Amino acid sequence: MTLVLDGAAMARELLNELRGRVAQLAQRGIRPGLATVVVGDNPASKVYVRNKMRSCGDVGVHAEVRQLPGDASQADVLQTVEALNARTDIHGMIVQLPLPRAIDAQRVLQAIAVKKDVDGFNWANLGALVDGHPSLAPCTPLGVMRMLDRARLPVEGRHAVIIGRSSIVGKPLALMLIARGATVTVCNSKTRDLAAFTRSADILVAAAGRAKLVTADMVQDGAVVIDVGINRLPDGKLAGDVDYEAVKSKASAITPVPGGVGPMTVAMLVANTVSAAERLNPS
Ligand code: NAD
């Protein structure tokens, strides 16, 4: 029987656990606050932002959106970030990606105060992760690790193969898996004979953004398959990077899309915000 890793249920559990920490902060008059900076009008971003706001609200975390017009200048965006850096009632800040082309995304991301960088994209936070001392780490890889742990799926000594080397998913996830004793292979669009690598994976993570990239013949019997991909199909439906039905019959555990890594990413963002509020207000 294949274990379907229900990310929505795991995310609810995680959010429930956060309530206690939020209540403890409330006793000291602190309400964790998350600000999301949005530039322009991207329909996909709207859905993500709404989900994040809802999850924050569910556990008593304040969430607000700073919406800037699509033609906002670099200086406007940086000023908004600086203003949020200075606010004591905001403990976490994210800038919704993608930003319009005219804005230098790296400059904006690096302007977020390190202690409020709940997406974990600041070089200081990424550097801490490289060195094995993470403070605020990227939410999607954190969500993947949490799913493996919740399902008691062992990592140590396993061969983990990650398809995708982005700074948001593939690279930080590789670091987290290495820290836990996995042997890690990171593939990318230039990898020759991708299937030769994926077939030797005990844990296979697909984060390429290519619908049905991973077919059943690319997966070893009994592998754990984590699908990070979110692709909009021509019929409007969402699909991951994995050919779910075919791969499910070979995998020992698999995440669905939607309802897998996505909700866990949002839950980890709320968790990072609560952690940031605790660290900014040590008792
Ligand atoms: P990205 O475009 O920055 O990186 C994609 C990576 O995949 C690149 O390293 C590229 O080399 C690799 N790749 C592309 N095609 C490949 C192929 N055919 N074979 C091997 N490697 C290939 O994307 P990203 O931001 O890392 O996101 C990846 C996917 O994950 C997207 O579908 C995105 O929507 C999704 N995503 C989901 C969540 C979530 O919460 N579930 C969060 C972030 C991203």
Side-chain angles (χ1 to χ4, degrees), residues 140 163-166 169 188-189 194 207-210 213 228-230 262 265:
T140 301
I163 310 175
R165 60 165 169 198
S166 73
V169 187
N188 62 71
S189 57
L194 181 66
R210 303 276 181 276
L213 173 68
V228 178
I230 301 176
T265 297

Side-chain angles (χ1 to χ4, degrees), residues 133-245:
H133 301 284
S135 174
L136 291 170
C139 301
T140 301
L142 276 180
V144 171
M145 296 305 294
R146 188 62 72 109
M147 289 182 101
L148 294 171
D149 289 344
R150 281 280 150 130
R152 296 179 194 280
L153 295 166
V155 172
E156 192 177 278
R158 301 304 194 270
H159 182 205
V161 176
I162 304 170
I163 310 175
R165 60 165 169 198
S166 73
S167 301
I168 294 174
V169 187
K171 269 190 266 188
L173 179 60
L175 293 166
M176 290 177 197
L177 287 163
I178 289 168
R180 292 283 298 278
T183 303
V184 181
T185 302
V186 183
C187 302
N188 62 71
S189 57
K190 307 279 190 294
T191 297
R192 282 183 279 164
D193 197 358
L194 181 66
F197 293 98
T198 60
R199 274 191 212 113
S200 71
D202 302 308
I203 301 169
L204 177 60
V205 182
R210 303 276 181 276
K212 295 203 177 177
L213 173 68
V214 177
T215 49
D217 60 310
M218 295 168 70
V219 178
Q220 165 173 228
D221 275 326
V224 171
V225 179
I226 308 285
D227 192 353
V228 178
I230 301 176
N231 306 290
R232 181 76 62 184
L233 300 177
D235 66 3
K237 288 189 183 148
L238 285 184
D241 288 356
V242 174
D243 185 356
Y244 182 78
E245 287 304 333

Side-chain angles (χ1 to χ4, degrees), residues 26-199:
Q27 279 174 6
R28 296 198 282 133
I30 299 153
R31 185 177 185 205
L34 172 71
T36 302
V37 178
V38 181
V39 185
D41 191 22
N42 178 324
S45 295
K46 271 192 185 155
V47 178
Y48 294 136
V49 171
R50 207 183 315 132
N51 289 344
K52 290 168 188 174
M53 301 278 289
R54 193 185 305 134
S55 293
C56 282
D58 282 352
V59 295
V61 169
H62 166 74
E64 66 182 57
V65 175
R66 296 303 308 273
Q67 175 73 54
L68 300 183
D71 61 355
S73 68
Q74 175 96 20
D76 293 336
V77 182
L78 287 173
Q79 251 174 27
T80 303
V81 168
E82 288 304 341
L84 291 166
N85 278 343
R87 273 175 57 182
T88 53
D89 60 334
I90 292 296
H91 309 94
M93 185 195 327
I94 58 173
V95 174
Q96 190 63 40
L97 301 174
L99 285 169
R101 273 165 194 270
I103 309 283
D104 178 348
Q106 266 312 331
R107 232 184 116 193
V108 173
L109 293 178
Q110 300 312 316
I112 297 174
V114 174
K115 289 185 171 181
K116 296 189 178 187
D117 169 38
V118 282
D119 255 342
F121 297 158
N122 192 287
W123 291 330
N125 283 320
L126 286 172
L129 180 62
V130 171
D131 204 27
H133 301 284
S135 174
L136 291 170
C139 301
T140 301
L142 276 180
V144 171
M145 296 305 294
R146 188 62 72 109
M147 289 182 101
L148 294 171
D149 289 344
R150 281 280 150 130
R152 296 179 194 280
L153 295 166
V155 172
E156 192 177 278
R158 301 304 194 270
H159 182 205
V161 176
I162 304 170
I163 310 175
R165 60 165 169 198
S166 73
S167 301
I168 294 174
V169 187
K171 269 190 266 188
L173 179 60
L175 293 166
M176 290 177 197
L177 287 163
I178 289 168
R180 292 283 298 278
T183 303
V184 181
T185 302
V186 183
C187 302
N188 62 71
S189 57
K190 307 279 190 294
T191 297
R192 282 183 279 164
D193 197 358
L194 181 66
F197 293 98
T198 60
R199 274 191 212 113

